[in-house]
């Protein structure tokens, strides 16, 4: 390759940051916002992020977010949420969502998540407890009774982790 020719190697995207405390947010290093518009799509993203890299069954997601709907309607709603998430993430970041026939998961390589950073080896002992002062996924409460129960369990789990590290 000649020096005056542009490189054909892909330029790596800046890292992505997912914030679950103090108001959910998803931004890259340049400040570009990737937060889905729909609250239920945000909930799917939050659940997949917190369970990453393990896959989550689609039936589990529909049972938590659309527990009061018929099965087919719940499946269609989940498909719509996945489509919105893929569209919102766009080509720079849609690789982090791994969609398979029966399950979904997140590949968080190159992604920073506040809840994980606050529990990492280099985190201050009280960092996770401090994050709780700003609330944890508060804007998602009330989506579905089953999701509210799941969210309460996640809060308890994270508080336990925070207390054990403190």
């Amino acid at each position: 390759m000649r020096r005056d020719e542009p490189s054909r190697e892909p330029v790596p995207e800046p890292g992505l940051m997912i914030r679950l405390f103090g108001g959910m947010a998803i931004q890259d290093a340049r400040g570009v916002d990737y937060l889905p518009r729909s609250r239920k799509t945000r909930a799917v993203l939050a659940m997949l992020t917190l369970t990453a890299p393990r896959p989550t069954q689609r039936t589990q997601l529909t049972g938590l977010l659309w527990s009061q709907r018929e099965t087919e309607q719940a499946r269609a709603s989940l498909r719509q949420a996945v489509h919105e998430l893929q569209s919102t993430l766009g080509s720079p970041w849609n690789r982090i969502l791994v969609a398979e026939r029966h399950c979904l998961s997140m590949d968080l390589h190159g992604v920073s998540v506040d809840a994980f950073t606050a529990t990492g080896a280099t985190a201050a002992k009280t960092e996770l407890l401090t994050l709780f002062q700003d609330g944890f996924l508060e804007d998602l409460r009330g989506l579905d009774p089953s999701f509210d129960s799941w969210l309460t369990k996640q809060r308890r789990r994270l508080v336990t982790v925070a207390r054990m590290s403190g």
Side-chain angles (χ1 to χ4, degrees), residues 71-107:
T71 303
E72 285 306 312
Q73 187 179 15
R75 285 183 193 159
S77 294
L78 178 59
R79 281 192 301 273
Q80 184 177 1
V82 168
H83 179 71
E84 180 189 357
L85 186 54
Q86 289 169 326
S87 177
T88 303
L89 292 171
S91 60
W93 291 106
N94 64 11
R95 65 151 180 86
I96 69 171
L97 176 63
V98 180
E100 297 176 356
R101 181 177 175 94
H102 298 291
C103 60
L104 299 168
S105 62
M106 295 287 281
D107 176 357

Side-chain angles (χ1 to χ4, degrees), residues 67-162:
S67 67
Q68 299 171 339
R69 290 193 183 169
E70 295 295 323
T71 303
E72 285 306 312
Q73 187 179 15
R75 285 183 193 159
S77 294
L78 178 59
R79 281 192 301 273
Q80 184 177 1
V82 168
H83 179 71
E84 180 189 357
L85 186 54
Q86 289 169 326
S87 177
T88 303
L89 292 171
S91 60
W93 291 106
N94 64 11
R95 65 151 180 86
I96 69 171
L97 176 63
V98 180
E100 297 176 356
R101 181 177 175 94
H102 298 291
C103 60
L104 299 168
S105 62
M106 295 287 281
D107 176 357
L108 296 177
H109 290 89
V111 178
S112 170
V113 179
D114 61 353
F116 300 155
T117 304
T119 58
T122 60
K125 295 291 183 193
T126 59
E127 189 171 348
L128 187 58
L129 282 174
T130 303
L131 286 175
F132 271 102
Q133 293 174 359
D134 296 326
F136 176 71
L137 298 173
E138 296 302 325
D139 58 329
L140 300 181
R141 182 153 304 280
L143 289 176
D144 187 286
S146 295
F147 179 76
D148 286 348
S149 176
W150 178 88
L151 193 54
T152 298
K153 289 175 188 171
Q154 291 302 308
R155 284 185 177 123
R156 284 186 192 137
R157 182 183 65 81
L158 287 170
V159 165
T160 300
V161 168

